[in-house]
DNA sequence: AATGAATGAGCGTTCATTCAT
DNA sequence: TATGAATGAACGCTCATTCAT
């Protein structure tokens, strides 16, 4: 919801237009993929002229940046809400985070948006940076739980365990996401994930992580 | 390595040209992403004319299909080699599979190629079908190990556990792959994965998987 | 003179550009034939960029449609003017129509444009529909004259006689048209046509038309 | 059935291939029009390679020439057969010629092939020359009949009357030809034509033809 | 007599972008 | 803010043609 050109999107009408643009862009990205995302199609989808689109976003890259920011904000806002009302039990908290993330993979937007983001991150610096930020943010509460459940792990080791858990869950996107073959098994996947990760966090030792074979 | 148009690629020279094309296409896909993959660029990379490229691959989609087939064949061939010399201990076998796959994520080709494939699979039927085939093939030895380690699980449950393990490992691609921030931690990730998955396979009960909360 | 894309050709400049395009297209169609009509050549002829041409006519077919409409409008407008100041004598009116149409065949545009249209009509639905409309319109006054000259003919028979007269005149295009071998004889052709058709309309009986041999 | 490159098409096999080529080309010309006629499509239709096609016809223009020759030969051969068994009555002979030509317009090949030829003749010298030859040949028997029916006409006037009759009949192609709206009325058109032309030939005077208004 | 391989130009079309209004 | 007009490059693709085998 932040655009590039200074002084644009400040009036109420402008803000509405920006929302129309971002929604159009996101729809295209999700339904057709990044390779089919064009300024023209975004303009048509937003029911404005190409000229006007370029008034708000002078270049396609500007639009992409704002689109990524905007899309991620939505996930983040939902994720933050998890915190509220969390009790003090780290194990329970870990369970609820895992549950939330795995079940979120069933969301049709998540299913298609994130693979696009990952592919993009391999070729686009901004997307790459953004990915780092999101997942670092997602790992924060994981790290907190892990530290409390297994205090013997060093800070670095906790980070790696959190990364493992987070990455593992992301990997399920392409298999249990919306419309995917295994979508019906999403609940069981969450169960396996909780069981697997919880056991591991409890039992894992510093040596398990850092041993060299 | 199989081209589309009848009667092309039959001479030695033709076969060489097809290889030049596929290598060029793969390089572009990996270095620049699918959205930048164009017939022109492939032709330039293969040092042939666009006309000649289209002589072998009448449409871009034909090229994409063959490129995916070709690229996946390479992984499959490597994966098949794992089988050879496998001992009878299912736990050891499971360890070696996990180890192989996680470490393969460090391969620069794997790191960038697979996210492209996942994104593609969301919009391209052929890519989707291919993904199903690859991962089904990858899960086969996993399912075999799991069944032998934990005989109490039903066939369906074994499949879900295998899917969980396979998907989890794929998820690490974007984080520990070649050039990624956590690339240095790839060995520890393999350790955590082995520890986590092995424990889970041993301990998990049918009820753990199918319980409804 | 009506373009396709909404919101284009609305400013004075846009309308001028559309005229430049149509003139360029018509010139190429007439001088080189439909098989040589390309968007690029039209753009060069109109001294605009290909991109701008496609801004007005998103597809070649859109341009062709408008070109046909536009070209036919010109003939129609001239043809309508015939009506004005027509006296009440059906025979005289018939003479003047025949004279007008046959002499119009000497027009260089008519000579080359109509054969293209006929060939096009065999493969293009829109051209076919348009042909039907033009010639139905041309036959209207013919049918009126014939009915008044020979009231014994049924409505259907009048239509067939009118069709015969109209079609016969069109057939001369390829022989007495501009630049054709017999172009010098166009006046005599008109004479023969008038004599032939007038006699026939006066003398023909319902039986002559519908007899089965 | 005559090709361009010296020494080709001399073996039995070569002659068969040439026939396959010409049939393929004619089918495409008739079904899709000249603008869609390409060497590639002809080769596919003839089930030979492009290279082999170009062995027989080094250039597209060579193929076109032979195609026109070949197609017109077919009509000519049929037309010559008319002569056989013709009695001495010029009026009867004229009727039979008119009848033959008008009814031939119902032939699907004639319907689509000739408009293509006319359009082509406007831009291609060879097609133009060929048209002259065919129609001059067609007018010969017409001129013979006219001279005998109406001996007062000069040689030049006879030629013009014959041209008028021939051209008139060609004009019906686009209206009563195969698949055309008025195809059902083809018999009545022949009746009207015979009545109209016969009357005219009998009654017309040198003054009718050459008068200047 | 026939094929497969290759080229280079041109095709219709889409694109990001610029700019005057 | 917003539109319509315009550009120039690139896209996937088809084409006529050449040539080695």
């Amino acid at each position: 919801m932040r655009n590039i050109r200074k002084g644009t999107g400040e009036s109420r009408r402008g803000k509405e237009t920006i929302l129309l643009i971002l929604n159009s862009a996101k729809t295209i990205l999700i339904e057709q993929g990044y390779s089919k995302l064009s300024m023209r199609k975004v303009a048509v989808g937003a029911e404005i002229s190409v000229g006007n689109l370029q008034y708000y976003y002078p270049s396609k890259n500007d639009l992409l940046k704002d689109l990524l920011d905007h899309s991620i904000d939505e996930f983040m806002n939902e994720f933050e809400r998890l915190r509220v009302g969390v009790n003090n039990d780290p194990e329970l908290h870990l369970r609820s985070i895992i549950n939330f993330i795995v079940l979120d993979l069933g969301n049709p937007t998540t299913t298609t948006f994130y693979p696009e983001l990952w592919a993009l991150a391999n070729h686009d610096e901004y997307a790459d940076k953004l990915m780092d930020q999101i997942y670092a943010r997602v790992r924060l509460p994981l790290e907190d739980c892990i530290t409390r459940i297994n205090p013997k792990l060093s800070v670095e080791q906790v980070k790696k365990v959190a990364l493992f858990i987070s990455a593992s869950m992301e990997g399920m996107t392409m298999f249990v996401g919306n419309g995917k073959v295994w979508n019906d098994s999403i609940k069981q996947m969450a169960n396996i994930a909780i069981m697997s990760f919880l056991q591991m966090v409890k039992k894992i030792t510093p040596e398990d992580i850092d041993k060299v074979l």
Side-chain angles (χ1 to χ4, degrees), chain A:
Chain A
M1 209 106 68
R2 7 184 148 61
N3 69 310
I4 262 64
R5 191 178 267 178
K6 282 177 220 162
T8 60
E10 297 195 339
S11 72
R12 199 183 327 138
R13 196 174 178 196
K15 276 176 188 155
E16 279 167 12
T17 304
I18 286 183
L19 273 182
L20 287 174
I21 292 170
L22 291 175
N23 282 333
S24 169
K26 194 170 182 183
T27 302
I28 293 166
L29 183 67
I30 286 168
E31 291 182 352
Q32 306 185 250
Y34 177 68
S35 76
K36 297 278 172 59
L37 183 73
S38 78
M39 296 298 268
R40 266 165 173 68
K41 285 182 186 163
V42 171
V44 168
E47 293 180 303
I48 60 171
S49 68
V50 187
N52 197 20
L53 168 56
Q54 236 123 2
Y55 168 75
Y56 288 100
Y57 297 102
S59 84
K60 188 183 174 181
N61 215 43
D62 295 329
L63 169 58
L64 181 63
K65 279 186 185 180
D66 210 25
L67 171 61
L68 295 182
D69 284 344
H70 179 247
S71 300
I72 273 142
D73 277 357
E74 288 182 1
F75 173 81
M76 284 307 206
N77 288 338
E78 271 189 79
F79 191 71
E80 296 299 337
R81 246 178 290 143
L82 253 189
R83 269 203 145 170
V84 182
V86 126
N87 58 35
N88 245 343
D89 183 344
E91 202 177 311
L92 265 178
H93 194 190
L94 184 54
R95 279 173 186 272
S96 79
I97 294 174
I98 295 172
N99 211 51
F100 171 80
I101 293 180
V102 174
L103 296 188
D104 183 60
L105 302 177
N107 187 320
T109 297
T110 303
T111 302
T112 46
F113 178 80
Y114 280 85
E116 293 292 338
L117 177 61
W118 303 332
L120 222 43
N122 274 322
H123 315 290
D124 181 287
E125 208 181 336
Y126 189 82
D128 192 48
K129 214 181 64 191
L130 213 67
M131 257 193 72
D132 277 355
Q133 290 173 8
I134 316 163
Y135 288 109
R137 175 68 196 79
V138 167
R139 287 193 302 270
L140 270 185
L142 287 176
E143 289 163 3
D144 180 54
C145 295
I146 295 162
T147 308
R148 289 162 68 202
I149 295 173
N150 191 336
K152 279 174 293 187
L153 301 177
S154 72
V155 173
E156 281 307 306
Q157 289 167 333
V158 164
K159 284 192 173 176
K160 281 164 191 165
V161 170
L163 175 69
F164 171 80
I165 293 175
S166 166
S168 289
M169 290 187 293
E170 293 305 302
M172 272 171 261
T173 311
M174 308 81 89
F175 302 97
V176 303
N178 180 270
K180 300 293 174 180
V181 178
W182 298 87
N183 187 236
D184 290 342
S185 309
I186 195 163
K187 197 74 205 64
Q188 286 97 324
M189 286 298 126
N191 287 342
I192 299 174
I194 288 170
M195 193 274 182
S196 177
F197 297 146
L198 219 56
Q199 284 286 346
M200 181 267 288
V201 171
K202 283 185 199 165
K203 297 272 172 74
I204 204 161
T205 65
E207 293 74 36
D208 286 332
I209 297 173
D210 284 308
K211 73 185 158 201
V212 184
L213 294 180

